Amino acid sequence: MIRWTKLLVLFAWLLLIAKLLTMPSPHVPAAVAFAGNDKFAHFLLFGGLVFFLIETIEAWMSWHYRALVAVTLAVCYAYASLLEYFQGFIPGRSVSSLDTLAAMLGSVLAIVIVYWLDFSEIRKPKLLLHICCIGCGAYLVSVLKREYRVTLYFFNPNIAPEAEYHRRLAESRKIARKLGVKLIVGKYRHDDWLDSVKGHEAQPERGSRCIICYRERLVAAARMAKQLHCRYFGTTLTISPHKSAPAISQLGNEAAKEFGVRFLDRDWKKQDGYKKSVCLSRELGLYRQDYCGCEFSIRH
């Protein structure tokens, strides 16, 4: 939905530019005819076009920033040149290379503002990080933000009761805002999850029930990463001392291969990762549950 909204906004901006820059001269608004000409209008309108183009392309594609800059500037130049050509047929308007130059100066300045003012951040690849709770997620976000542009994915149909699910989700939303990262929430279908683990209810922690649960969430994360054009996806699951890191590694890489993305294969328990996550949770005053998530894990 967000991608289509950005595409519609971009289309609307293109129409606005065409409308304002192809009006017959007597009908040009004063704001457009700044200082007796429309050079400033070209500068501002195409600067805005850069922003909307980048937002839209990034929503649909996963390109290196250099390719994105090149395509954005090429589109701006082509559109500015096309409008200048049509101005030759409009009463009171004329073809001017200075108008095209003003449009490209606005485009280049916008590129500088969008990219080079935060150059190191733009160069980072996108990572979708599956979280089961924000207690572990907060620590990993603080670590991963140094190397990646992180988006959180809360997909946990295993969590029960439902009140526990919403409590963990509320904490995740609060900390995502605090840390300045986007949070995507998957659908909560606990009944479907129960069907998937039917016959494995009595299995202990790390048993077959957990393997099924790992697989379901990792496949969903890999699928979402592909939809969002994230180069990588990962999970906080391995930070728990109760989870099988080798099993998660295997399942994560299988899901990555299936959807054509890369799995960030890390055992976050290493180097006191779990202890560090607990310490940060206490500092932030986060809720930490005393069981994995499903009703069966409460018994063990």
Side-chain angles (χ1 to χ4, degrees):
M1 182 64 183
I2 294 175
R3 296 191 300 171
W4 285 104
T5 300
K6 290 183 177 182
L7 186 62
L8 289 173
V9 171
L10 171 62
F11 185 66
W13 191 258
L14 289 169
L15 289 178
L16 176 65
I17 294 176
K19 176 69 174 177
L20 293 177
L21 299 186
T22 58
M23 284 182 174
S25 185
H27 303 291
V28 176
V32 177
F34 182 85
N37 60 60
D38 58 1
K39 305 297 183 293
F40 190 65
H42 281 77
F43 185 87
L44 288 180
L45 290 170
F46 279 85
L49 178 58
V50 164
F51 174 77
F52 293 121
L53 268 172
I54 289 174
E55 283 289 306
T56 303
I57 294 174
E58 283 204 320
W60 288 85
M61 308 294 291
S62 182
W63 288 354
H64 190 279
Y65 78 97
R66 290 196 184 98
L68 191 49
V69 167
V71 170
T72 298
L73 291 178
V75 170
C76 287
Y77 177 77
Y79 197 53
S81 299
L82 180 65
L83 292 179
E84 282 305 308
Y85 171 76
F86 280 114
Q87 283 186 8
F89 302 95
I90 298 171
R93 306 299 292 263
S94 61
V95 177
S96 171
S97 59
L98 291 178
D99 286 347
T100 304
L101 176 61
M104 295 313 298
L105 287 175
S107 301
V108 171
L109 179 60
I111 290 287
V112 171
I113 292 172
V114 172
Y115 282 94
W116 272 264
L117 292 186
D118 196 1
F119 186 79
S120 61
E121 183 69 17
I122 292 300
R123 292 179 61 186
K124 298 175 184 177
K126 292 181 181 180
L127 166 70
L128 183 73
L129 180 65
H130 165 262
I131 59 171
C132 54
C133 65
I134 200 60
C136 301
Y139 167 68
L140 292 187
V141 169
S142 67
V143 172
L144 291 169
K145 283 184 72 174
R146 303 168 194 164
E147 301 178 49
Y148 302 92
R149 285 182 283 165
V150 180
T151 296
L152 300 179
Y153 182 44
F154 189 90
F155 176 72
N156 301 289
N158 59 304
I159 296 177
E162 191 171 345
E164 173 72 14
Y165 172 86
H166 289 294
R167 185 175 185 179
R168 296 192 196 185
L169 177 56
E171 285 279 285
S172 298
R173 282 176 168 150
K174 179 178 70 176
I175 299 304
R177 289 193 294 268
K178 185 179 183 67
L179 297 176
V181 294
K182 183 178 180 181
L183 173 68
I184 296 174
V185 181
K187 292 183 179 180
Y188 179 63
R189 293 174 174 169
H190 188 62
D191 290 340
D192 291 346
W193 182 85
L194 288 173
D195 288 340
S196 69
V197 299
K198 191 172 182 179
H200 302 268
E201 294 89 343
Q203 287 292 311
E205 192 80 13
R206 298 191 181 197
S208 59
R209 184 188 67 251
C210 291
I211 299 299
I212 294 169
C213 189
Y214 299 159
R215 181 184 294 110
E216 183 172 343
R217 289 187 281 175
L218 289 168
V219 166
R223 182 185 295 112
M224 181 59 67
K226 182 176 182 179
Q227 291 177 8
L228 297 176
H229 302 285
C230 294
R231 192 183 307 174
Y232 296 89
F233 80 99
T235 181
T236 62
L237 289 171
T238 58
I239 202 170
S240 169
H242 305 294
K243 301 292 188 295
S244 172
I248 292 169
S249 173
Q250 179 180 340
L251 294 169
N253 282 296
E254 287 174 359
K257 185 176 181 180
E258 180 181 352
F259 291 96
V261 291
R262 300 180 187 178
F263 179 56
L264 191 65
D265 195 350
R266 306 271 181 91
D267 185 351
W268 297 110
K269 290 187 292 294
K270 294 181 177 179
Q271 299 180 337
D272 292 327
Y274 178 71
K275 292 181 181 178
K276 291 174 182 176
S277 73
V278 172
C279 290
L280 182 58
S281 295
R282 288 172 180 167
E283 289 177 17
L284 296 173
L286 298 179
Y287 161 69
R288 291 189 70 90
Q289 64 284 349
D290 56 5
Y291 68 102
C292 172
C294 71
E295 53 264 59
F296 312 114
S297 64
I298 301 176
R299 306 171 188 171
H300 300 286

